[in-house]
Amino acid sequence: MKKGIEKTNVMRSLDQKKINYNSHFYADTDAISGVEVAEVLGQNPEQVFKTLVTQAPSKNYYVFLVPVHKELDLKKAAKAVGEKSIAMIKAKELLPLTGYIHGGCSPIGMKKQFKTIINESAQGFETIFFSAGKIGYQVELSLQELQKALRFELCDIICDEA
């Protein structure tokens, strides 16, 4: 970790659980979208994941991680969690629900742990990248290490290419 870079709550949580990870800092860049973040970090966008929070008519919330350049397929995602349908929550609902703001949402360290599904493509990489809970910060870890911090399932949840 570079000198002067603060640890996020996600990093502290991983440290507490003695989970191996690498942190990446990009707050000193103009990167906003996930694809731009992947670019400034010199990473394959297939390996950099965004965290999406949804709600079903059952009022249950679900968290999905998909590659930054892909879109969540709401039908596949609903099926993966056994719901008839799901919808993205509104950005203003994110902070009170998860403790995170839009663009800095991490599956680790949410106020409450929700069922989490990671797109199955993550299995093709030694490590994946996702938000460290603050805009400008990413963590990189293997799925094996992530399992120590978070219960998740792997499913095909992205839109098929047109």
Side-chain angles (χ1 to χ4, degrees):
M1 186 175 225
K2 294 178 195 162
K3 273 210 178 334
I5 295 177
E6 62 188 86
K7 286 211 178 219
T8 67
N9 287 338
V10 169
M11 294 173 201
R12 284 191 279 278
S13 172
L14 293 171
D15 288 344
Q16 236 174 0
K17 295 180 171 113
K18 303 205 178 340
I19 294 172
N20 294 319
Y21 70 94
N22 290 314
S23 58
H24 299 273
F25 178 75
Y26 66 91
D28 54 356
T29 72
D30 294 333
I32 295 170
S33 76
V35 173
E36 291 168 338
V37 170
E39 212 171 274
V40 300
L41 294 177
Q43 297 303 324
N44 176 349
E46 297 266 345
Q47 199 174 351
V48 180
F49 286 70
K50 55 188 171 187
T51 306
L52 304 171
V53 183
T54 64
Q55 187 177 26
S58 65
K59 300 289 183 229
N60 289 325
Y61 292 97
Y62 300 98
V63 176
F64 296 94
L65 272 74
V66 299
V68 292
H69 66 302
K70 301 283 187 183
E71 293 302 316
L72 178 66
D73 183 317
L74 294 173
K75 281 190 171 75
K76 287 181 184 177
K79 188 177 175 194
V81 295
E83 295 278 2
K84 281 187 172 50
S85 65
I86 56 165
M88 297 298 296
I89 66 165
K90 292 179 177 39
K92 68 177 195 277
E93 296 171 28
L94 195 61
L95 181 61
L97 179 69
T98 65
Y100 293 123
I101 61 166
H102 182 76
C105 189
S106 178
I108 297 173
M110 287 189 180
K111 288 181 175 180
K112 185 172 183 255
Q113 187 60 63
F114 301 109
K115 182 167 186 161
T116 302
I117 307 287
I118 301 174
N119 192 63
E120 64 188 10
S121 63
Q123 297 172 96
F125 300 100
E126 282 188 27
T127 58
I128 63 168
F129 296 72
F130 54 86
S131 175
K134 190 173 182 181
I135 294 173
Y137 297 82
Q138 293 265 305
V139 289
E140 170 192 7
L141 61 166
S142 69
L143 291 179
Q144 291 77 10
E145 289 295 308
L146 183 54
Q147 277 182 320
K148 298 175 188 175
L150 181 70
R151 284 200 317 272
F152 62 86
E153 293 172 27
L154 296 163
C155 289
D156 171 18
I157 52 170
I158 55 174
C159 294
D160 295 322
E161 301 298 323

